[in-house]
Amino acid sequence: MELARDETSGGYPLRVPFDEQLASRVREQVGGDPSLSERKMFGGLCFMTSGNMCFGVVGEDLMVRVGPDKWEESLAIPFAREMDFTGRSMRGMVYVSSEGLVEDGSLHRWLESGLEYATSLPPKL
């Protein structure tokens, strides 16, 4: 795991740990999508479309915004668990452990799920 620097928070450098190898794999899969941007948040690296977070890398996990309607279905998939970043479950968000992302096809399906939900939301200005 590599430590990256984020110098956008009030001018103070912050150390944000995330798995750079997983972040690279995500970038490879979505690299051709000009609507996506990256932002350091949630203690990791998030990918945004039209101002809405769709997925990201936190530690060694993939964080995916699946939405409340697909949340329980997503939790039934092996290696997925509730996102509890604040100490309580965040309905509509899941973490997927690295064991569930070994195959590029699995990673791709999770990324599609996050992008599908985020693009269903109105753009944030």
Side-chain angles (χ1 to χ4, degrees), residues 1-2 4 18-32 36 38 45-47 55-62 101 104 107-108 111:
M1 185 177 341
E2 178 178 316
F18 62 90
D19 184 336
E20 185 57 50
Q21 186 175 24
L22 178 55
S24 293
R25 289 181 61 211
V26 170
R27 288 182 189 112
E28 286 174 18
Q29 294 226 3
V30 300
L36 289 174
E38 295 180 23
L45 180 67
C46 291
F47 291 80
F55 42 78
V57 180
V58 177
E60 295 179 357
D61 295 330
L62 182 71
L101 304 168
D104 284 340
L107 175 60
H108 184 76
L111 298 179

Side-chain angles (χ1 to χ4, degrees), residues 1-98:
M1 185 177 341
E2 178 178 316
L3 291 178
R5 284 182 73 116
D6 175 4
E7 297 181 4
T8 62
S9 298
Y12 296 99
L14 299 173
R15 298 181 69 85
V16 181
F18 62 90
D19 184 336
E20 185 57 50
Q21 186 175 24
L22 178 55
S24 293
R25 289 181 61 211
V26 170
R27 288 182 189 112
E28 286 174 18
Q29 294 226 3
V30 300
D33 189 339
S35 72
L36 289 174
S37 62
E38 295 180 23
R39 183 177 302 165
K40 291 183 176 82
M41 57 192 285
F42 289 112
L45 180 67
C46 291
F47 291 80
M48 317 278 289
T49 185
S50 300
N52 293 301
M53 197 282 288
C54 41
F55 42 78
V57 180
V58 177
E60 295 179 357
D61 295 330
L62 182 71
M63 173 182 56
V64 185
R65 187 176 187 185
V66 296
D69 293 342
K70 291 190 177 180
W71 186 63
E72 288 186 25
E73 174 186 330
S74 297
L75 290 174
I77 299 172
F79 305 107
R81 68 184 190 284
E82 295 179 4
M83 181 180 168
D84 58 355
F85 180 76
T86 62
R88 59 180 191 172
S89 182
M90 296 178 72
R91 189 166 179 83
M93 306 279 289
V94 297
Y95 284 134
V96 183
S97 67
S98 58

